[in-house]
Amino acid sequence: MKGFAHRPATAAAILVAVAVAVRLGFAGLTGLGIDESYMVAATDRFAASYFDHPLASWWLELASRWLFGGVAPIVVRLPFVGLSAVSSWLLFILTRRLYGGGAAFWAVAAYSISPLFSLAFGCWVLPDGPLDAALLAAAYALSRALGIAEAPDAAAPRWWLAAGLFAGLALLSKYNAALTLADAVLVMLSDPAARRQLRHWQPWAAAALVLLLFMPVLFWNAEHRWVSFDYQSGRAIGSHLHLLAPFTIWAGEALFVLPWLWLPMVVLLLGALRRGPAERRGWMLAMLAVLPIALFALVGIWSSTRILYHWAAPGYLLLFPLLGRWATGLSPWLRSAVACLSAGLLAGAMLLIVAVLRFGALPELVLLFPPGKSPLLQAVDWDSLRGETGGRVVAALRWYDAGKVGYALRGRVPVTVFGPAPHQFGISLPPSTLLGQDIRLLAMPGDVSAIARAYAPYFRSLEPAPAMTVIDHGRVLLVIPTLLGKDLLAPPP
């Protein structure tokens, strides 16, 4: 990058363009994962909110489906790839404001080689893509409103409304944005210069704007017995005791971010917290990051739900500017070597994934796992099921099976979920609306005879039906036993 040493914006723009091109290729050459298939299959309607998450990610994929007239992986993923470019550039301008152009370039470079941010959030149909863009925009607006910058800068109260707008969009993306917003309150209370702004109306107007933007989600939840809040808050409940959970959670987060990025981030976070609000730039970033990183690790001590490693990602996202500044102090040779090695590892992993999923490489991989247990089932599309339903409604017993089957059927046959955890399927197509219809029941997981006995009372008759087979590149990955229920008499509980 020597030729661009004095043009970090140009270098960053080229890097972002290359990264987006790679993501587009990956998005078009691989099938949808479990969560992606579920989001596409569970609804075809714009709504004020949805079971798992607020509206942003659902609306993005629905809008792309409407615009391009299809649900191919590249179509539903396109808005999220586009947002990865937006997030990259927002990260650049935030870091440039705080630490200069060189740090901004290396912050974007680190973001682009992190598998979690560059690949998962930058490509897949997940709520984290719009969340990242909104949080970075809100952090930039907050820095302008508070006058926090590398060079002396006056506070700009007019930026408070922008901060409120982007914070509201973050809440419309994912509920854990509330942790970062709580961190922003801590910034205001702990920074003396920021605290003085609470005497004026602009910060309060920003808070009101956040609440106003979030009102549709609140109204939707009120109409649906607060299902989203009940589901998400239930993940923090448990009676187990796992004293080592924080360390295993942080280890998983390190693997997802990249260990050699994660470790400096944590050290820089602790250093900024130790220096305190006197160093306003580091303090703002550290305070915005600390709650997601600390809270999910602590909840893991007692929670009966497995803490997923990407939940704390908003915290690490806001540490990239500190990481970029730190990288400028490294030896140019070491810095470039680590960046190139990391990019090579990420590119190699992506090529291997494409080779296996798209072109059927490593056919012996299927033989390493018992029938129905291959990890490929989570990553390939179950398109071989498309003609096997007999035109009847399909009911699965798990929401993620319904997502894979529903995406394979492309809306040709309605799909619902029987059982206690239907997620969005229970709202989009509740079993109570299917009375009198014949239904193809996927008899998994568990014993087929036990499933038949459990669901027979809800049909006029329930008989064995031909199995459905998931085939990928000529390899049988899963055989799904099915039952044909005639005339649904009552919705199963």
Side-chain angles (χ1 to χ4, degrees):
M1 302 303 297
K2 286 185 178 180
F4 295 104
H6 303 293
R7 292 180 287 163
T10 302
I14 293 172
L15 176 60
V16 172
V18 170
V20 167
V22 171
R23 292 181 195 123
L24 281 172
F26 188 79
L29 292 172
T30 54
L32 300 188
I34 284 181
D35 288 334
E36 295 180 284
S37 299
Y38 162 69
M39 285 193 64
V40 176
T43 187
D44 58 1
R45 301 177 182 89
F46 291 93
S49 192
Y50 300 87
F51 178 89
D52 309 76
H53 302 291
L55 57 88
S57 53
W58 302 83
W59 280 25
L60 285 170
E61 63 92 3
L62 285 168
S64 191
R65 288 158 62 178
W66 173 82
L67 181 63
F68 294 102
V71 293
I74 186 62
V75 169
V76 296
R77 286 169 168 168
L78 190 59
F80 301 86
V81 176
L83 277 176
S84 72
V86 174
S87 294
S88 298
W89 200 249
L90 286 168
L91 177 60
F92 180 85
I93 63 173
L94 172 63
T95 309
R96 182 176 60 183
R97 173 175 171 81
L98 298 179
Y99 298 116
F105 170 79
W106 287 108
V108 173
Y111 173 93
S112 300
I113 59 178
S114 171
L116 180 65
F117 292 97
S118 185
L119 179 56
F121 297 170
C123 183
W124 295 337
V125 184
L126 296 171
D128 305 87
L131 173 67
D132 285 357
L135 287 179
L136 288 168
Y140 177 78
L142 182 65
S143 74
R144 297 295 299 261
L146 297 179
I148 299 176
E150 180 180 34
D153 191 21
R158 66 181 181 276
W159 277 90
W160 273 111
L161 289 181
L165 171 64
F166 294 125
L169 292 177
L171 269 182
L172 291 179
S173 301
K174 197 170 183 179
Y175 291 114
N176 70 352
L179 298 178
T180 307
L181 301 189
D183 278 339
V185 174
L186 295 179
V187 172
M188 295 296 297
L189 295 177
S190 59
D191 182 337
R195 193 162 58 241
R196 287 193 289 271
Q197 292 205 35
L198 293 175
R199 303 170 186 169
H200 305 288
W201 63 270
Q202 289 92 340
W204 303 101
L209 181 56
V210 172
L211 181 60
L212 180 64
L213 290 170
F214 195 59
M215 287 303 291
V217 178
L218 293 176
F219 285 134
W220 183 91
N221 271 276
E223 292 177 350
H224 293 84
R225 296 180 292 180
W226 305 101
V227 291
S228 295
F229 297 111
D230 182 59
Y231 169 66
Q232 297 293 355
S233 63
R235 294 179 162 191
I237 297 173
S239 57
H240 296 75
L241 186 62
H242 308 285
L243 295 179
L244 298 179
F247 301 100
T248 59
I249 291 169
W250 287 327
E253 292 167 359
L255 183 62
F256 276 41
V257 173
L258 275 186
W260 46 92
L261 301 182
W262 180 88
L263 184 58
M265 281 180 167
V266 172
V267 173
L268 292 166
L269 169 64
L270 295 175
L273 292 174
R274 179 180 53 81
R275 288 190 297 272
E279 203 291 281
R280 299 186 75 202
R281 295 171 295 170
W283 181 253
M284 183 190 78
L285 294 170
M287 291 302 290
L288 291 175
V290 68
L291 196 52
I293 293 173
L295 183 63
F296 287 116
L298 291 176
V299 169
I301 294 176
W302 64 80
S303 176
S304 57
T305 300
R306 184 170 64 93
I307 303 298
L308 299 182
Y309 300 137
H310 68 278
W311 289 355
Y316 297 108
L317 173 71
L318 292 163
L319 294 177
F320 276 112
L322 285 172
L323 185 67
R325 183 199 188 193
W326 174 77
T328 59
L330 299 176
S331 131
W333 178 88
L334 176 62
R335 190 172 56 204
S336 299
V338 171
C340 291
L341 176 62
S342 303
L345 289 173
L346 181 60
M350 294 171 72
L351 288 173
L352 178 61
I353 292 170
V354 170
V356 171
L357 300 184
R358 182 73 174 186
F359 302 107
L362 303 179
E364 62 276 9
L365 183 64
V366 177
L367 303 177
L368 298 177
F369 301 92
K373 300 296 184 180
S374 172
L376 293 179
L377 285 167
Q378 301 183 33
V380 302
D381 296 329
W382 296 8
D383 289 343
S384 59
L385 304 183
R386 199 167 297 175
E388 295 194 21
T389 64
R392 297 179 176 87
V393 177
V394 172
L397 302 183
R398 300 181 295 196
W399 62 269
Y400 43 89
D401 292 333
K404 296 298 287 186
V405 173
Y407 181 69
L409 299 178
R410 303 294 197 273
R412 295 179 177 88
V413 176
V415 177
T416 190
V417 175
F418 287 173
H423 287 221
Q424 181 62 30
F425 286 103
I427 296 169
S428 299
L429 189 64
S432 60
T433 64
L434 301 172
L435 299 181
Q437 296 198 37
D438 297 346
I439 296 177
R440 188 84 167 269
L441 179 63
L442 307 185
M444 68 175 195
D447 179 77
V448 177
S449 298
I451 293 172
R453 288 193 300 270
Y455 287 93
Y458 300 99
F459 293 93
R460 192 169 302 280
S461 66
L462 184 64
E463 303 294 339
M468 300 166 66
T469 307
V470 179
I471 300 174
D472 179 65
H473 291 94
R475 301 165 296 188
V476 175
L477 299 184
L478 177 65
V479 177
I480 306 173
T482 73
L483 301 166
L484 179 58
K486 295 289 189 70
D487 187 7
L488 182 65
L489 302 175

